[in-house]
Amino acid sequence: MKTLKIADGIYMFTMNVEDILFEGIWEIANGVTLNSYIVQGEKTAIIDGVIGWDGIPETLYVNLKEIGIDPKNIDYLIVNHMEPDHSGWISNFRKIKDDLTVICTEKAAKMVASFYGEDNIKIVKEGDILDLGKGKVLSFHPVPNVHWPDTMYTYERETKTLFSCDMFGAFGRMGDHCFDDELTPEEIDFFEFEGIRYYSNVMTTFTPSLRKAIEKAKTLEINTIAPGHGPIYRKNPQKIIDDYSRFSLYAEGAGKNEVTILWGSMYGMTAKAVDYVEGILQREGVKYNKLEMPLESDSEMVATVFKSAGIIIAAPTYEYKLFPPVATALNEIGRKKITGKVAFRFGSYGWSGGAEKELSEIIERHKMKWDFIESVEFEGVPKEEDLIKVEAGVLKLLEKMKAKVVE
Ligand SMILES: Cc1cc2nc3c(=O)[nH]c(=O)nc-3n(C[C@H](O)[C@H](O)[C@H](O)COP(=O)(O)O)c2cc1C
Ligand SMILES: [Fe+2]
Ligand SMILES: [Fe+2]
């Protein structure tokens, strides 16, 4: 775990976590950081005390001592969000200090009590203030359903720092560069994709609430955004606000100017048409991503479909239905409420077909409202006339997706 000074009396502790399934589901290829913050006036508050998988809380105590804070002298534990990646340290901390006040929203308080047995809880509402002394004044701003119903922002007035918790967060491990002004162009791209991965894997279902949280952030004068995961934005906090606004559009059908081919094939028949489509996309100079299911991780699959303006589904019929790994992927996309994408499907069948019917059922079941170009199905190997139809479908998709591009 690393300690960074953000301003006088404000510190960040950050640790990289790798080799876990985030939420027990997501294989996060590039890890994630858990960030915790200290605000020190006459009184000391810790915001989102993290527990990790690396020997924390003991390492946290070592880091606290490094900046001259005895853990016993922490007065307030501010729980912006009860999820254990932000609060898992409470029980352990309680063992070394019993006159500790937990500060959180009413919704979080119920969970802090039921998960950790805490009872010394001060519930805060919109605009409530905690004066720590020496000029450090915190205010609290609930942002319900930014992930969970309990979430709030904590804002420090003197330095105009927003401790935004999951909001404005990103996956991705951090090396030596933790502030936006230190990131290299490669790291900026890395965290943009890891932001998309985070938003699409964890947050996108709550897009209407995230939009409200963006509006709430705009009512505060912000110099620095300090999220619970990912880099701190002190040079240009507006960048991550704009990124999150853009991601909220991706959740509803917009995307980058790129196509994702979500595909699977048992004996290579559908794959032949995929090869053909790649040739068309290359000829047309279109950026594209290929996701072969079930080889791709759910995390990568959801993030890549989410950020693309055009989706090609290439999958055969299997037992009178859609090739299962592709059906599973689409169900996951549907559960995440990723709506409004422009899409085109083709695929091979042997005798009856059936993939198309299940595709419609999935789109209907999850109310995905995807805008489909007419599908192309072919018996066995794709023939010349099938490939002509596939090409026409792809060209229509490229035309239609133009209206959806938001970079
Ligand atoms: C396990 C299995 C189940 C299948 N079920 C059906 C089916 O229900 N209806 C059908 O028309 N074809 C069915 N087929 C035939 C495939 O759709 C056909 O072989 C197609 O060309 C496979 O395309 P691919 O090589 O891209 O996987 C099935 C094939 C397999 C291997
Ligand atoms: Fe969360
Ligand atoms: Fe989190």
Side-chain angles (χ1 to χ4, degrees):
M1 188 155 63
K2 239 171 41 178
T3 309
L4 287 118
K5 185 172 175 177
I6 299 179
D8 280 341
I10 303 189
Y11 298 89
M12 173 205 218
F13 301 131
T14 181
M15 61 175 293
N16 289 322
V17 179
E18 316 217 25
D19 303 323
I20 56 151
L21 288 178
F22 198 80
E23 297 183 337
I25 305 174
W26 309 104
E27 270 180 52
I28 38 174
N30 300 314
V32 60
T33 60
L34 304 184
N35 306 335
S36 199
Y37 298 95
I38 291 282
V39 183
Q40 202 177 18
E42 271 140 34
K43 301 269 186 190
T44 301
I46 184 164
I47 301 171
D48 292 348
V50 295
I51 189 157
W53 291 264
D54 83 329
I56 284 196
E58 286 70 19
T59 39
L60 179 57
Y61 300 150
V62 171
N63 283 55
L64 281 166
K65 292 222 162 104
E66 258 176 36
I67 56 168
I69 295 176
D70 183 333
K72 292 198 181 80
N73 292 335
I74 289 181
D75 303 285
Y76 302 105
L77 174 49
I78 296 168
V79 177
N80 274 342
H81 170 33
M82 202 298 297
E83 192 168 12
D85 60 327
H86 303 267
S87 72
W89 171 65
I90 294 178
S91 309
N92 192 290
F93 191 43
R94 168 63 70 212
K95 287 186 201 142
I96 63 162
K97 181 170 171 79
D98 49 16
D99 58 339
L100 166 83
T101 306
V102 173
I103 295 182
C104 61
T105 62
E106 191 171 6
K107 289 248 167 65
K110 206 162 163 285
M111 290 191 277
V112 168
S114 63
F115 284 71
Y116 301 116
E118 280 300 316
D119 48 14
N120 190 9
I121 300 172
K122 180 172 151 50
I123 290 173
V124 288
K125 298 199 185 67
E126 176 62 41
D128 282 358
I129 278 168
L130 178 68
D131 190 342
L132 296 174
K134 290 192 185 159
K136 293 287 184 296
V137 179
L138 299 176
S139 62
F140 305 102
H141 308 275
V143 280
N145 298 317
V146 166
H147 206 203
W148 286 12
D150 61 333
T151 312
M152 67 176 184
Y153 289 150
T154 296
Y155 176 76
E156 201 291 305
R157 283 186 176 178
E158 185 186 50
T159 55
K160 301 185 171 56
T161 303
L162 182 70
F163 300 98
S164 61
C165 194
D166 280 343
M167 192 68 192
F168 307 125
F171 281 138
R173 69 180 76 83
M174 287 200 286
D176 291 337
H177 301 159
C178 300
F179 292 99
D180 58 348
D181 48 292
E182 299 172 333
L183 300 177
T184 63
E186 293 75 35
E187 286 169 333
I188 290 171
D189 288 349
F190 172 81
F191 281 112
E192 203 240 359
F193 182 68
E194 291 302 325
I196 287 172
R197 188 200 295 280
Y198 183 76
Y199 189 110
S200 63
N201 289 188
V202 176
M203 305 282 266
T204 190
T205 317
F206 312 102
T207 288
S209 303
L210 300 188
R211 290 219 172 100
K212 287 185 191 151
I214 290 170
E215 289 313 308
K216 190 163 278 192
K218 286 181 184 165
T219 66
L220 299 163
E221 207 183 313
I222 296 171
N223 283 348
T224 301
I225 292 182
H229 310 283
I232 292 184
Y233 302 85
R234 67 180 176 190
K235 182 178 133 212
N236 185 11
Q238 191 59 40
K239 181 197 185 297
I240 190 67
I241 297 175
D242 291 344
D243 280 356
Y244 260 56
S245 301
R246 179 163 52 90
F247 301 163
S248 78
L249 300 175
Y250 292 175
E252 292 172 354
K256 289 172 181 275
N257 190 16
E258 53 193 75
V259 169
T260 285
I261 308 173
L262 181 68
W263 73 287
S265 180
M266 297 177 282
Y267 293 107
M269 301 303 125
T270 307
K272 280 187 202 299
V274 170
D275 289 346
Y276 182 74
V277 163
E278 276 194 80
I280 298 166
L281 295 173
Q282 285 162 12
R283 184 191 75 205
E284 299 295 320
V286 177
K287 183 173 178 213
Y288 66 95
N289 318 295
K290 273 175 81 183
L291 299 172
E292 183 177 5
M293 303 314 293
L295 300 184
E296 211 60 63
S297 73
D298 272 3
S299 169
E300 200 76 15
M301 182 278 294
V302 169
T304 308
V305 169
F306 176 84
K307 74 175 170 121
S308 301
I311 312 297
I312 293 175
I313 298 162
T317 293
Y318 176 100
E319 295 178 355
Y320 304 96
K321 291 186 170 174
L322 184 62
F323 183 57
V326 170
T328 303
L330 286 169
N331 268 311
E332 187 57 48
I333 297 281
R335 290 167 71 115
K336 288 285 167 196
K337 301 198 173 97
I338 297 171
T339 58
K341 294 287 182 190
V342 174
F344 169 53
R345 176 195 162 247
F346 57 83
S348 177
Y349 66 96
W351 58 92
S352 60
E356 199 52 28
K357 181 163 176 283
E358 194 189 9
L359 175 64
S360 306
E361 285 165 5
I362 292 169
I363 298 296
E364 196 57 36
R365 182 183 321 131
H366 298 291
K367 303 187 176 65
M368 291 161 80
K369 301 194 189 82
W370 283 25
D371 182 2
F372 274 91
I373 314 292
E374 196 184 340
S375 298
V376 177
E377 297 222 275
F378 43 87
E379 219 175 308
V381 69
K383 321 288 181 306
E384 184 66 33
E385 64 266 27
D386 302 316
L387 294 175
I388 289 170
K389 285 187 207 153
V390 166
E391 173 162 6
V394 170
L395 293 177
K396 265 190 211 153
L397 178 93
L398 296 182
E399 193 50 42
K400 263 201 165 176
M401 68 180 252
K402 282 183 187 157
K404 297 278 190 176
V405 172
V406 180
E407 298 269 9

